[in-house]
């Protein structure tokens, strides 16, 4: 008397359901891609509510500081070129050749390509702000710190990391 085998194991059922939700979420992301202004407006609103939460609760400064450092890192990657012409010039100097601009039709012109595309920047920033907002509701993340020190340290990091950018 063998019992019939179930069609799916619980793990396979969970995996199928997760896959379905992942595809559905990806579909929403794909739909939102052309609406850049609305996406950033939503992110700005989420960031505003996160800041309001931090100000009203008078805590969770380490969460805000960590979020600020992460967004600064994303922003610098967004501003940086994927292929740095300065690095290529340095490498060509090591080879004994001198890098030049293209002067003929057959030479390749490469437009500015960002190291972090705008959509990935938006998605990562929005996800980080959402996670920071959720973390601000749990007391385990409310580590007591003297917040002015964090602000000064953030500005020092911003100055040091942005000095190597050619556009700033």
């Amino acid at each position: 008397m063998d019992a019939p085998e179930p069609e799916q194991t619980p793990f396979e059922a969970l995996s199928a359901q997760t896959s379905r939700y992942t595809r559905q979420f990806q579909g929403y992301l794909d739909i939102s891609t052309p609406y850049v202004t609305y996406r950033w407006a939503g992110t700005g609103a989420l960031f505003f509510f996160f800041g309001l939460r931090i100000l009203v609760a008078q805590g969770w400064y380490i969460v805000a500081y960590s979020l600020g450092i992460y967004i600064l890192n994303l922003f610098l990657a967004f501003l940086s070129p994927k292929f740095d012409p300065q690095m290529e010039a340095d490498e060509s100097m090591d080879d004994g050749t001198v890098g030049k601009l293209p002067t003929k039709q057959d030479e390749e012109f490469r437009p500015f390509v960002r190291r972090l595309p705008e959509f990935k920047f938006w998605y990562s920033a929005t996800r980080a702000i959402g996670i920071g907002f959720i973390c601000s509701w749990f007391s385990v993340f409310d580590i007591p710190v003297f917040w002015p020190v964090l602000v000064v340290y953030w500005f020092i990091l911003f100055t040091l990391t942005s000095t190597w950018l050619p556009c700033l």
Side-chain angles (χ1 to χ4, degrees):
M1 287 225 238
D2 291 326
E5 292 279 332
E7 291 184 25
Q8 284 186 331
T9 64
F11 178 74
E12 289 172 344
L14 180 66
S15 178
Q17 196 70 356
T18 304
S19 177
R20 188 178 126 233
Y21 287 137
T22 302
R23 281 193 313 273
Q24 196 173 24
F25 180 69
Q26 186 63 45
Y28 290 137
L29 285 178
D30 292 343
I31 290 170
S32 72
T33 300
Y35 303 106
V36 176
T37 306
Y38 296 117
R39 285 190 285 118
W40 281 105
T43 300
L46 184 62
F47 190 67
F48 173 77
F49 288 123
F50 172 75
L52 190 65
R53 165 75 179 141
I54 297 300
L55 288 176
V56 169
Q58 292 294 311
W60 289 273
Y61 298 119
I62 198 73
V63 174
Y65 173 75
S66 301
L67 178 64
I69 292 296
Y70 182 70
I71 290 177
L72 173 65
N73 188 17
L74 289 175
F75 183 64
L76 292 176
F78 175 71
L79 292 179
S80 301
K82 188 172 187 176
F83 307 107
D84 191 9
Q86 182 67 32
M87 293 296 290
E88 290 175 5
D90 290 344
E91 289 173 4
S92 66
M93 290 288 215
D94 293 340
D95 297 343
T97 61
V98 179
K100 298 183 250 179
L101 291 174
T103 56
K104 299 177 184 170
Q105 286 289 359
D106 60 341
E107 292 184 26
E108 179 183 356
F109 168 72
R110 291 189 316 207
F112 182 76
V113 178
R114 297 184 187 281
R115 186 163 32 128
L116 182 67
E118 181 270 335
F119 186 81
K120 288 185 180 181
F121 177 41
W122 167 79
Y123 181 67
S124 298
T126 305
R127 186 176 54 192
I129 294 168
I131 290 170
F133 187 74
I134 291 169
C135 287
S136 72
W137 291 96
F138 295 99
S139 62
V140 70
F141 297 110
D142 188 16
I143 300 169
V145 293
F146 187 58
W147 68 267
V149 172
L150 292 179
V151 171
V152 169
Y153 186 59
W154 188 88
F155 279 115
I156 290 170
L157 279 176
F158 175 76
T159 305
L160 291 175
T161 56
S162 65
T163 54
W164 61 268
L165 281 176
C167 63
L168 294 179

